[in-house]
Amino acid sequence: LDSTALGYVRDIVPFELPKGVEEGDVTEADFQDSTNKKPRHNVMALVDVLLKSWKELTTPTNADVDRAAVRREESLPKQLHVDKINILLRAYASENSEKRIKALWDVVATSKDGDDLLDEEEMHRVVQYFLKTWEEALKTTCDQALDAQPLDETLESTTTTSVVPQKTRRQVRHKKKTMRTLQRSFKTHFEEDLECPHRLRCIYAWAYKEHQSNRVDSVLVENQGQVIGGRQRHVELPPKISFAEFLDVQKDHFHHLDRAGQEFMTGFHEDLWIRQGVGRQNRELRRDAALFFLAVGMLDVVILYL
């Protein structure tokens, strides 16, 4: 878990215990309940992503179809292995980013040819699933964090009562605006700021793949549905990549995946500062414009009575 992720939201003010709350008032049960929330959010986000991507997970890629045609097989297995799904759920409940990616890799790999190698397209899918689960889990965590402590309030305003106070319209509007900023930041940080698709293409190209001796195989396969002696088509089969080969290059050129939670929250933190800066500029502009028009109006009045 990236335990410092939410710190990037809260570091606008220094952390202090609320007034009237002593360190001894926070019991071990309270701490355990708080730390258990994040793993639950991770697992819930994973289940949601798997459900939405189930058809994609069980559908062979074009490269899988071509490889099956070379082997003269009519169909490919489309079942996901239950034991791999269980390992994936456990990884998202208690393991770090590397083991989560490895568990996702195994699920995608075993759903196709039965080996542990992936095509470039499947490698991209694994990273997309990994980032999507982080995105959805952090959205839930931040939404609950903002309910407990709005960003526009200081920690001193927090009371020891367990009753959640009724939020004002301004606080509700401010939370909705903050969540829109968060969603926009999550959507663009890895895709645009860190150039995730470009980095993944480089990882695949730079990794030495033992499969097919790192060479593209050119083969002729028969078109599906053609009778014997029908026309053949020329296809190129790029080599597959293993997780160890992927990891060897990823550690050097895309280490952001190892701290994905921090990266998401860093982008959100920067966007919050930008939004605050733009708001301050707009307020200063409105003030200067009002003063300017006031001065012009007063000069007009003076000139009128001269």
Side-chain angles (χ1 to χ4, degrees), residues 181-221:
T181 302
L182 179 140
Q183 293 175 5
R184 183 168 58 250
S185 174
F186 283 4
K187 188 174 296 184
T188 60
H189 184 65
F190 268 92
E191 291 294 319
E192 299 179 8
D193 298 344
L194 297 181
E195 299 179 324
C196 178
H198 175 69
R199 289 176 185 266
L200 291 178
R201 287 193 298 268
C202 291
I203 288 175
Y204 179 82
W206 294 341
Y208 179 82
K209 299 167 280 292
E210 294 186 1
H211 183 246
Q212 299 177 182
S213 300
N214 202 30
R215 292 181 293 105
V216 177
D217 286 350
S218 299
V219 296
L220 290 174
V221 298

Side-chain angles (χ1 to χ4, degrees), residues 92 101 104-105 108 118 121-133 190-191 196-197 200 203 246 250 254 257:
Y92 264 79
I101 297 176
L104 278 169
W105 189 287
V108 175
L118 295 183
E121 179 184 350
E122 295 171 327
M123 182 193 75
H124 280 256
R125 286 182 184 177
V126 168
V127 177
Q128 289 171 359
Y129 297 154
F130 171 73
L131 294 177
K132 188 63 177 178
T133 53
F190 268 92
E191 291 294 319
C196 178
L200 291 178
I203 288 175
F246 165 83
Q250 177 262 322
F254 201 12
L257 291 179

Side-chain angles (χ1 to χ4, degrees), residues 7 13 16 22 32 45 63 68 80 104 114 201 206 210 233 236 251 253 256 276 278 302:
V13 292
E16 295 178 359
E22 303 294 336
Q32 190 66 34
L80 300 180
L104 278 169
R201 287 193 298 268
W206 294 341
E210 294 186 1
R233 57 189 176 94
E236 292 184 345
K251 290 294 184 182
H253 301 285
H256 311 82
Q276 291 173 0
V278 171
V302 172

Side-chain angles (χ1 to χ4, degrees), residues 32-47:
Q32 190 66 34
D33 181 67
S34 298
T35 55
N36 287 340
K37 285 183 180 296
K38 189 62 176 64
R40 288 200 296 268
H41 295 166
N42 292 337
V43 175
M44 291 169 59
L46 172 65
V47 172

Side-chain angles (χ1 to χ4, degrees), residues 83-132:
D83 55 341
K84 299 295 183 181
I85 297 293
N86 289 332
I87 293 174
L88 177 60
L89 292 172
R90 286 194 293 269
Y92 264 79
S94 59
E95 300 294 350
N96 58 18
S97 295
E98 179 181 329
K99 293 185 178 180
R100 294 180 190 180
I101 297 176
K102 178 63 168 65
L104 278 169
W105 189 287
D106 291 339
V107 168
V108 175
T110 54
S111 66
K112 302 296 189 301
D113 301 346
D115 55 28
D116 60 347
L117 304 176
L118 295 183
D119 296 315
E120 182 180 5
E121 179 184 350
E122 295 171 327
M123 182 193 75
H124 280 256
R125 286 182 184 177
V126 168
V127 177
Q128 289 171 359
Y129 297 154
F130 171 73
L131 294 177
K132 188 63 177 178

Side-chain angles (χ1 to χ4, degrees), residues 2-205:
D2 291 322
S3 58
T4 60
L6 279 179
Y8 286 92
V9 182
R10 297 299 177 194
D11 65 357
I12 298 176
V13 292
F15 175 77
E16 295 178 359
L17 285 174
K19 288 184 178 181
V21 179
E22 303 294 336
E23 292 187 3
D25 295 337
V26 182
T27 64
E28 183 177 353
D30 296 330
F31 177 78
Q32 190 66 34
D33 181 67
S34 298
T35 55
N36 287 340
K37 285 183 180 296
K38 189 62 176 64
R40 288 200 296 268
H41 295 166
N42 292 337
V43 175
M44 291 169 59
L46 172 65
V47 172
D48 185 61
V49 170
L50 289 178
L51 287 175
K52 292 179 179 178
S53 308
W54 197 264
K55 183 177 180 180
E56 186 179 51
L57 280 168
T58 55
T59 301
T61 62
N62 293 332
D64 291 327
V65 174
D66 292 338
R67 294 181 192 280
V70 171
R71 297 193 300 265
R72 297 183 179 277
E73 296 179 356
E74 295 183 359
S75 61
L76 294 172
K78 298 181 180 180
Q79 294 81 18
L80 300 180
H81 291 245
V82 176
D83 55 341
K84 299 295 183 181
I85 297 293
N86 289 332
I87 293 174
L88 177 60
L89 292 172
R90 286 194 293 269
Y92 264 79
S94 59
E95 300 294 350
N96 58 18
S97 295
E98 179 181 329
K99 293 185 178 180
R100 294 180 190 180
I101 297 176
K102 178 63 168 65
L104 278 169
W105 189 287
D106 291 339
V107 168
V108 175
T110 54
S111 66
K112 302 296 189 301
D113 301 346
D115 55 28
D116 60 347
L117 304 176
L118 295 183
D119 296 315
E120 182 180 5
E121 179 184 350
E122 295 171 327
M123 182 193 75
H124 280 256
R125 286 182 184 177
V126 168
V127 177
Q128 289 171 359
Y129 297 154
F130 171 73
L131 294 177
K132 188 63 177 178
T133 53
W134 259 118
E135 181 180 340
E136 295 300 323
L138 285 175
K139 284 180 183 178
T140 303
T141 302
C142 291
D143 183 72
Q144 295 184 3
L146 291 174
D147 282 337
Q149 180 66 48
L151 281 176
D152 58 346
E153 290 186 1
T154 62
L155 291 172
E156 295 180 354
S157 63
T158 306
T159 60
T160 58
T161 178
S162 59
V163 179
V164 179
Q166 186 71 23
K167 288 184 171 53
T168 63
R169 290 184 179 179
R170 177 181 176 276
Q171 289 176 332
V172 172
R173 185 169 60 250
H174 186 71
K175 178 190 173 182
K176 290 181 178 179
K177 188 175 181 180
T178 301
M179 290 302 297
R180 285 197 298 268
T181 302
L182 179 140
Q183 293 175 5
R184 183 168 58 250
S185 174
F186 283 4
K187 188 174 296 184
T188 60
H189 184 65
F190 268 92
E191 291 294 319
E192 299 179 8
D193 298 344
L194 297 181
E195 299 179 324
C196 178
H198 175 69
R199 289 176 185 266
L200 291 178
R201 287 193 298 268
C202 291
I203 288 175
Y204 179 82

